[in-house]
Amino acid sequence: MMANGQKIPATMTAIAISQPGGPRVLKPETRDVPVPGPGEVLIRVHAAGVNRPDVQQRKGAYPPPPGASDLLGLEASGEIAALGDEISRWRIGDRVCALTPGGGYAEYVKVHAGSVLPLPAGFTHSEAAAVPENYFTVWHNVFERGGLKKGETLLVHGGSSGIGTTAIQLASAFGATVITTAGSKEKCDACLKLGADRAVNYREEDFVAAVKDATGGKGADVILDMVGGDYVGRNYDAAAVEGRIVQIAVQAGAVASADFSKVMVKRLTHTGSTLRPRTVEFKAAIAAALEAQVWPLLGTRKVAPVMDMIFPLTEAWRAHERMEEGEHIGKIVLDVE
Ligand SMILES: NC(=O)c1ccc[n+]([C@@H]2O[C@H](COP(=O)([O-])OP(=O)(O)OC[C@H]3O[C@@H](n4cnc5c(N)ncnc54)[C@H](OP(=O)(O)O)[C@@H]3O)[C@@H](O)[C@H]2O)c1
């Protein structure tokens, strides 16, 4: 294949899961460079974001959806290297970032054109690779599904995570009050710097009491929860009347016992979603909303990904170790050299 005068090689280095297990099962492998089909583009990857679902997939607990690459990597940045049929917006050489259905941990990735966005103004590739997965997820779950509005209060659990740091910044930029939980003073301090109005160290303080205290007894209008387990019932306690609780993960357990009378009495909505299996049309609609409403904020750095550490692609195992140690604040990224 030829693109932009440059020959696209037939093969590339990618990080494969040699077998389900710990970080060391991630091994560089030679793979065929993907060929973009109709509606798809090929991106020469400069950087790829690392996300918690990658860790789950590596362990064998989160299989890719049908038709998706078996390689890890839900987001990447780079330049357009080849175009499939029916592409009007993108040109070879465009600097972009994209939500990928898998396959980001590689030198090339193919992706549907609707999941591609321009590199935010002034961003490095490493920063841009840290954007898509968290911004698509937070936009849909906090603003579309949770319906967070200016003047309301958002409670974000896991405030120092990639998702949490994004939710704090976006909710605060759009005029909400933000309360967050995190597991250490250092993480709480980082959340406050990002714009959280209150950060609760959940190891030392009960978040339900803290939310009640911070809201004059009213509770949180929207709760973004990635914990589950006993947080389900406690979220019902922390929610305001007509509150919306959005479940995006269940790290402390998928099965919970809770007092559901609170759902009736407070007229709560408990919803949730997963992003990866959604249609390309759905992802394109989120991309369009982000480009219109959030890209200008990224361009002025009113919001920006919090960068934790960057590792070379071939040392993806170190990135996974870092994530599993749980000390990171914000995003871990892989650079393709
Ligand atoms: N549904 C979707 O569409 C979707 C999309 C992307 C990500 N996710 C999920 O969102 C979560 C965050 O993803 P990420 O990539 O941002 O991961 P991450 O940076 O590794 O963050 C994980 C966070 O979970 C918190 N946590 C874990 N167990 C906890 C517990 N028992 N109690 C309280 N907090 C706990 C950690 O907080 P502390 O360190 O403070 O304990 C940490 O901040 C993951 O669970 C991921 O699977 C969902």
Side-chain angles (χ1 to χ4, degrees):
M1 243 188 300
M2 288 286 289
N4 206 16
Q6 286 189 325
K7 195 168 186 309
I8 297 172
T11 60
M12 63 177 185
T13 300
I15 302 302
I17 304 168
S18 52
Q19 62 184 77
R24 291 284 191 165
V25 304
L26 297 180
K27 301 247 166 71
E29 216 174 68
T30 300
R31 290 284 185 103
D32 289 344
V33 171
V35 177
E40 293 178 332
V41 299
L42 181 71
I43 298 174
R44 185 165 84 77
V45 177
H46 287 262
V50 175
N51 292 282
R52 179 67 54 169
D54 303 345
V55 171
Q56 296 304 109
Q57 186 175 336
R58 191 203 72 220
K59 290 177 177 167
Y62 186 55
S69 168
D70 66 312
L71 297 173
L72 295 176
L74 300 173
E75 57 189 349
S77 70
E79 58 199 83
I80 304 266
L83 306 172
D85 291 337
E86 299 159 26
I87 303 295
S88 52
R89 176 171 183 184
W90 303 109
R91 298 279 170 270
I92 287 170
D94 283 351
R95 287 153 51 85
V96 296
C97 58
L99 186 75
T100 58
Y105 289 22
E107 290 178 307
Y108 290 87
V109 64
K110 72 171 180 176
V111 56
H112 192 271
S115 300
V116 179
L117 284 151
L119 218 66
F123 268 45
T124 63
H125 277 295
S126 313
E127 290 174 320
V131 168
E133 175 71 10
N134 289 165
Y135 279 73
F136 276 69
T137 301
V138 168
W139 186 260
H140 177 58
N141 289 289
V142 172
F143 296 97
E144 295 182 342
R145 201 160 274 283
L148 182 70
K149 292 178 213 61
K150 187 175 179 176
E152 288 192 324
T153 299
L154 173 72
L155 169 63
V156 188
H157 292 302
S160 65
S161 64
I163 292 279
T165 51
T166 306
I168 291 170
Q169 292 182 69
L170 280 180
S172 154
F174 283 99
T177 298
V178 182
I179 305 170
T180 192
T181 63
S184 72
K185 182 178 183 311
E186 190 201 358
K187 289 180 175 180
C188 285
D189 288 346
C191 294
L192 292 171
K193 273 199 200 135
L194 289 172
D197 297 275
R198 175 126 181 206
V200 181
N201 181 345
Y202 67 81
R203 294 183 204 279
E204 294 179 351
E205 204 184 340
D206 172 34
F207 74 79
V208 177
V211 168
K212 288 281 169 68
D213 179 53
T215 56
K218 179 174 174 273
D221 300 295
V222 177
I223 301 178
L224 183 66
D225 185 31
M226 58 179 75
V227 179
D230 78 337
Y231 274 37
V232 173
R234 294 167 74 197
N235 285 338
Y236 292 169
D237 289 332
V241 169
E242 301 279 359
R244 291 85 72 195
I245 297 145
V246 190
Q247 204 72 50
I248 57 161
V250 286
Q251 296 181 89
V255 178
S257 145
D259 178 353
F260 294 104
S261 71
K262 287 176 182 150
V263 176
M264 299 184 290
V265 172
K266 289 178 154 182
R267 302 185 295 281
L268 303 178
T269 302
H270 190 168
T271 179
S273 72
T274 57
L275 179 62
R276 195 177 185 187
R278 302 302 295 272
T279 63
V280 290
E281 293 80 11
F282 173 85
K283 290 171 184 172
I286 301 185
L290 285 172
E291 190 169 3
Q293 303 200 55
V294 175
W295 252 232
L297 303 178
L298 289 166
T300 57
R301 295 207 173 253
K302 182 155 188 197
V303 301
V306 175
M307 303 301 287
D308 180 72
M309 286 182 80
I310 299 172
F311 296 92
L313 175 69
T314 48
E315 293 178 21
W317 64 271
R318 287 180 61 208
H320 277 224
E321 268 192 358
R322 170 90 187 145
M323 182 161 267
E324 286 189 277
E325 280 160 12
E327 295 300 313
H328 64 290
I329 293 178
K331 291 290 295 189
I332 301 168
V333 166
L334 302 173
D335 261 5
V336 181
E337 286 154 348

